[in-house]
Amino acid sequence: MVGLALEGGGAKGAYQVGAYMALKKCHIKIDAVTGTSIGALNAALIASKEEKLMYSLWKDATMSELLGIDEEKLEKLSDEGLTVENIVGVFQELYQLFKNKGIDISNYRALVRNNVDEAKLRKSHIKYGLTTLRLKNLEKMNVELDDIPNGQLHDFIVASSFLPVFKKEKLIDDNYYLDGGFYNLSPVDMLIEMGCKQIFVINIKGIGHRKKINTKGIEIIEIKPNNSLGSIILFDKKTIEDNMFYGYYDTLKTLGKIDGIDYYFTKKNNRFYKKINKKVDKDFFGAVSAVLNAKSEKQCIIKAIEYVLKSESKTTLIEYSIEECIKNIKTIESDNIIIRYVKSLNI
C-alpha cells in the first residue's frame, strides 16, 4: 500500500495541493491518506477524490472568507509596504479579534461543511485518518474514519485544525480540542498501522511536534520546500498560487522528473551534462567544483547556473531550460570564476 501524510501548517497547505497534482501526473496511486490540521482538510478532499474542488477552494480562498480578517487591509499592507499607518490599521483589527477572546472560526467551519462530502468519503476505497488533541487529560488522538461517528467528520476536521488563537469553543462530545500539530505534525504512524510500505510525506514546515516513530522496513519519501511558503495564518492569492507551484515542482524534482536544487530545470540525462562539460579544462573544472562543493559534472553545472540566477534575482517560479540559461549567461561580461565556467560550457 502507498500512503500520503499531509502535515499541518495553516495557509501553507496550498503547497500540498500542487504536490498531490504532481503525484497524480506521475501516476502514483494513493491507498491511504492522513492529515494534521489543514492537512486533515486536504486529506479528506483527496480521499474523496475531490482534487479539482480542493484546487478551486485554495485558488479562491480569502482571509475574509476563512477568518473574517479584512483582506483589503492585508493587501494594502503587502502592496504599499510597512508604513506606520498600514501596520496600525491591520494590527488594530487583529487586536480586536483577540480582545473578543480569539478569532471566530464559523467561516472555516462552514468551509469544511460545504466542501467535504462525508458520505462520499465513507464510500471511498482510499483510507483516511487525522490527528487531534483532546484538552481533557491532554488525550492524544489518531482517529481513523471508521472511528468517527457518522455525522461528526466535519467536527473532527475542525478539531484537528483548532489553533490557540481561535475563539474557545467545545467541538465534540462537550469537549475542547487543540490542533493536531501539538501532538503529531506528521501522521506517518497512522499510515504504517494501516499497512502502508511506501509513504510520501508532504512537509510544509509547520509549527508543532514531530512524533518519533520506527520506520524500519518502510520507504519514506519526503517532499518539502526550499523556498519560503509565508505565514501560517495570513496569506494572499499570489502566495497561494506560488505555493501550489512550489508543491508541484518540488514533487517532480523529488521524483526525479526535473532537475535543480533551488530552481527548476527541464530534465536532462547525465550524458548531456558530461557532453557540455567535456571541453572544459580539467584544472579549471576542479577549481570551480571546489568553490561550489559539487560532486559531479551535473551538480557543478546546475549549481553554477543557479549561482548566476540568484545573483541576478531571477524568479524561482518558472521551469528553466539549461541551454537557454547558458546562452543568456554567455552574454554577461564578467571575470567571476563561476560565470567564466558557465561561458566555457559547450552547447
Side-chain angles (χ1 to χ4, degrees):
M1 287 178 61
V2 178
L4 176 63
L6 303 181
E7 297 193 352
K12 299 178 181 182
Y15 182 90
Q16 296 170 346
V17 179
Y20 181 67
M21 295 302 181
L23 291 174
K24 282 207 70 176
K25 179 182 175 67
C26 296
H27 307 291
I28 293 172
K29 180 178 174 291
I30 300 300
D31 300 299
V33 56
T34 58
T36 294
S37 193
I38 197 62
L41 171 59
N42 286 338
L45 294 170
I46 289 170
S48 304
K49 299 184 179 179
E50 292 282 12
E51 57 267 20
K52 289 183 180 178
L53 174 61
M54 178 174 65
Y55 172 79
S56 298
L57 186 157
W58 277 98
K59 186 174 181 294
D60 299 330
T62 66
M63 288 299 299
S64 56
E65 288 174 346
L66 289 178
L67 301 176
I69 298 174
D70 191 326
E71 190 158 354
E72 288 187 4
K73 290 183 180 179
L74 289 172
E75 287 180 357
K76 187 175 181 182
L77 182 63
S78 60
D79 292 343
E80 298 183 14
L82 299 176
T83 66
V84 173
E85 182 181 353
N86 291 339
I87 293 173
V88 170
V90 172
F91 282 92
Q92 278 181 342
E93 184 162 346
L94 293 175
Y95 171 73
Q96 192 61 40
L97 289 170
F98 290 116
K99 188 178 178 181
N100 294 332
K101 298 184 179 179
I103 298 173
D104 180 80
I105 62 164
S106 56
N107 286 359
Y108 179 67
R109 184 189 291 276
L111 180 144
V112 173
R113 183 175 60 250
N114 293 335
N115 289 280
V116 177
D117 186 332
E118 181 172 351
K120 187 172 184 179
L121 179 58
R122 290 188 182 277
K123 291 177 183 177
S124 174
H125 71 275
I126 301 176
K127 294 184 178 183
Y128 172 75
L130 57 78
T131 67
T132 188
L133 182 66
R134 184 185 286 155
L135 282 183
K136 185 178 180 180
N137 300 324
L138 292 178
E139 184 181 353
K140 302 169 182 177
M141 301 176 67
N142 281 344
V143 187
E144 294 188 32
L145 183 60
D146 290 342
D147 300 324
I148 299 174
N150 196 38
Q152 291 190 5
L153 172 64
H154 300 142
D155 293 330
F156 272 91
I157 292 174
V158 172
S160 182
S161 310
F162 204 89
L163 294 170
V165 296
F166 295 153
K167 186 178 291 186
K168 191 176 181 182
E169 60 177 287
K170 293 180 178 179
L171 299 172
I172 306 164
D173 299 331
D174 204 37
N175 280 298
Y176 296 104
Y177 288 78
L178 200 57
D179 189 288
F182 287 93
Y183 157 50
N184 188 6
L185 190 64
S186 181
V188 172
D189 55 331
M190 293 184 70
L191 293 170
I192 295 174
E193 291 170 5
M194 291 175 182
C196 295
K197 296 299 182 183
Q198 182 186 60
I199 298 173
F200 293 89
V201 181
I202 313 298
N203 177 346
I204 52 177
K205 298 184 178 180
I207 298 173
H209 173 70
R210 295 183 185 277
K211 183 179 177 182
K212 292 184 178 180
I213 57 174
N214 181 10
T215 58
K216 186 177 181 180
I218 309 296
E219 182 186 6
I220 302 293
I221 303 168
E222 185 180 45
I223 299 164
K224 61 182 180 180
N226 281 335
N227 298 284
S228 171
L229 301 182
S231 167
I232 289 176
I233 294 181
L234 304 179
F235 64 90
D236 57 77
K237 287 190 175 183
K238 184 181 184 306
T239 301
I240 292 297
E241 291 177 0
D242 290 353
N243 287 349
M244 284 195 285
F245 176 95
Y246 288 136
Y248 183 82
Y249 277 94
D250 284 341
T251 302
L252 292 181
K253 188 188 296 183
T254 300
L255 296 176
K257 303 299 182 182
I258 59 174
D259 291 330
I261 302 168
D262 295 322
Y263 286 79
Y264 309 101
F265 302 103
T266 303
K267 181 72 177 179
K268 296 288 186 182
N269 58 38
N270 288 335
R271 292 194 306 275
F272 168 83
Y273 290 102
K274 286 182 176 295
K275 183 178 179 181
I276 66 174
N277 192 70
K278 189 174 182 180
K279 294 184 178 180
V280 177
D281 179 82
K282 289 184 179 180
D283 291 336
F284 184 41
F285 172 71
V288 174
S289 296
V291 170
L292 296 174
N293 191 28
K295 307 301 182 185
S296 67
E297 289 154 311
K298 175 179 178 177
Q299 192 178 77
C300 188
I301 292 168
I302 288 174
K303 282 191 170 186
I305 292 173
E306 289 195 354
Y307 168 88
V308 181
L309 293 176
K310 288 177 186 177
S311 69
E312 297 192 335
S313 301
K314 296 294 185 181
T315 181
T316 56
L317 290 166
I318 62 173
E319 181 179 333
Y320 289 92
S321 158
I322 289 287
E323 295 98 326
E324 289 301 316
C325 286
I326 294 172
K327 286 179 183 177
N328 291 333
I329 293 170
K330 283 178 178 288
T331 66
I332 299 174
E333 294 293 334
S334 174
D335 290 331
N336 181 285
I337 185 174
I338 308 300
I339 294 176
R340 284 196 292 116
Y341 167 67
V342 176
K343 293 172 71 172
S344 70
L345 297 172
N346 180 25
I347 56 170

